Amino acid sequence: MSTFAAAKKAKLKKTKKNKNIRNRMNQSKLTAHGAILLANIIFGLGIPVTKLLLDDWVSPMTYMATRSLGAAVVFWIIAAFMRPEPVERRDLLVIMGGGLMGFVISQTLTAWALDFTSPVYFSLIATLTPVAVMLTAALFIGERLTPLKAVGVLLGIAGAVLMVVMGQTLGSGTNDLLGITLALLSVLTWALYIIITRKVTAKYTPVTQMKYIFLISAVVTVPIAWPELSAQPLFGADTFGWTGAIEMAFIVLMATVLGYFLIPYSMKTLSATTVSIYTNLQPMVASFVAIAIGQDRMTWDKPVAAILVLLSAYIVTVVEVKRTT
């Protein structure tokens, strides 16, 4: 074989290899997009289901303790059938600290928020997650806040203010002002979770991360909820109902175990900003279901607020990213 033919063959082999690598990367990205899409559909469904549980079956803290303990048991069982993955002590502290921030604090605030406001208002506030991620990134890791991003933030604030003001007259919650405030705090703590764990997420499998997150969550929430457990209809011998049990099973297995597994899985391939964009699906799913089952009603302020917060998220993520690349 001539030198020229050998070189040509080597070049073709290298080209084919690079093509295979690109195909695997594209397939990996497609799978990651599918994972975060499914996670946010599940989270969107989880909002009205959580409202049903809080209205009829459990208190916010009992709800959190059940989620934490159930998810911890499932993830530790799954981990028992996997090869042990050693975790550096420093990373373990980050994982568990992030878990306290992103699950215990954020989801407890979520439960309290849904106790006071409607699923539609809550889900619209959740759409501000990309804005919250951008703000926390600017504060804690020095990401530059451009004028365009500032416009996005102002639009998001305008949407939140509209919900607060109109919630006092048109809202269907027991205290929409308090509920929306708690929802905003929930979004901020979730954004902190994403920022805190962004590096550690890429180092370990989702199961390893989740088993420690929900272990520390259960250790914190179960003792707090234990004294009131017997008074909850879901756990009372005379008040137990399969409807509540099925709703709680959905929250534990789907909105907690599967949903929280898919997030770190997708973050191994996608950026935190891209992951946060998919949060925009949650209000669409949650609003449709909540209105369909009579948990909320459509009023003029909701679509206007939706336009403002979705436009805010779009500017902060898609438009700004295109502008700077």
Side-chain angles (χ1 to χ4, degrees):
M1 184 183 292
S2 67
T3 305
F4 176 77
K8 186 176 181 180
K9 184 177 180 181
K11 185 177 180 180
L12 288 172
K13 186 176 180 180
K14 184 177 180 181
T15 301
K16 185 177 180 181
K17 183 180 178 180
N18 290 338
K19 185 178 180 180
N20 289 335
I21 292 173
R22 285 196 299 271
N23 287 338
R24 286 197 296 270
M25 289 177 63
N26 289 336
Q27 183 61 44
S28 178
K29 283 188 177 182
L30 184 62
T31 304
H33 279 285
I36 199 62
L37 173 68
L38 177 59
N40 279 281
I41 290 173
I42 292 171
F43 289 149
L45 291 171
I47 293 170
V49 173
T50 295
K51 183 68 173 175
L52 290 171
L53 281 165
L54 295 174
D55 286 347
D56 301 325
W57 299 104
V58 290
S59 67
M61 280 312 304
T62 305
Y63 165 85
M64 282 300 303
T66 306
R67 283 188 75 180
S68 300
L69 184 59
V73 169
V74 172
F75 276 115
W76 278 89
I77 290 174
I78 295 173
F81 293 93
M82 298 174 62
R83 180 180 295 179
E85 185 178 26
V87 179
E88 295 179 22
R89 185 175 180 180
R90 181 178 179 180
D91 291 341
L92 182 60
L93 292 175
V94 173
I95 290 171
M96 297 180 82
L100 288 174
M101 180 71 68
F103 185 75
V104 175
I105 298 176
S106 179
Q107 294 303 303
T108 298
L109 288 167
T110 291
W112 284 340
L114 285 167
D115 215 20
F116 293 107
T117 193
S118 72
V120 173
Y121 278 146
F122 175 83
S123 61
L124 289 174
I125 291 296
T127 310
L128 292 171
T129 298
V131 180
V133 170
M134 182 270 296
L135 285 174
T136 53
L139 289 172
F140 294 103
I141 60 176
E143 184 176 297
R144 192 167 64 93
L145 185 62
T146 65
L148 188 59
K149 286 183 176 180
V151 171
V153 171
L154 291 175
L155 285 172
I157 292 172
V161 169
L162 177 63
M163 284 182 267
V164 169
V165 172
M166 300 312 301
Q168 301 306 299
T169 55
L170 300 177
S172 56
T174 57
N175 188 334
D176 285 293
L177 175 59
L178 178 57
I180 291 170
T181 301
L182 291 170
L184 285 168
L185 291 174
S186 173
V187 167
L188 285 171
T189 52
W190 176 255
L192 283 172
Y193 161 73
I194 292 177
I195 296 299
I196 289 170
T197 61
R198 72 192 188 284
K199 292 182 179 179
V200 173
T201 296
K203 294 177 65 175
Y204 304 101
T205 64
V207 172
T208 296
Q209 296 175 63
M210 293 301 108
K211 74 177 187 179
Y212 287 115
I213 284 176
F214 289 109
L215 175 63
I216 189 64
S217 299
V219 168
V220 171
T221 58
V222 170
I224 297 174
W226 187 260
E228 63 182 39
L229 189 68
S230 60
Q232 306 305 309
L234 183 60
F235 298 102
D238 299 327
T239 54
F240 172 83
W242 282 107
T243 300
I246 292 171
E247 291 167 1
M248 183 58 78
F250 175 84
I251 292 298
V252 172
L253 297 176
M254 300 298 290
T256 308
V257 173
L258 182 58
Y260 277 78
F261 173 86
L262 292 172
I263 290 172
Y265 174 82
S266 63
M267 287 183 70
K268 283 182 174 294
T269 305
L270 306 176
S271 68
T273 300
T274 301
V275 169
S276 66
I277 292 172
Y278 279 93
T279 308
N280 297 339
L281 286 170
Q282 292 186 32
M284 301 175 194
V285 175
S287 299
F288 177 81
V289 174
I291 293 171
I293 65 177
Q295 283 184 341
D296 207 343
R297 64 183 189 275
M298 180 58 69
T299 53
W300 70 265
D301 63 307
K302 292 183 177 73
V304 174
I307 291 170
L308 289 172
V309 297
L310 288 172
L311 184 58
S312 168
Y314 182 76
I315 289 174
V316 167
T317 55
V318 180
V319 173
E320 181 62 16
V321 167
K322 286 181 178 180
R323 183 171 175 268
T324 55
T325 56

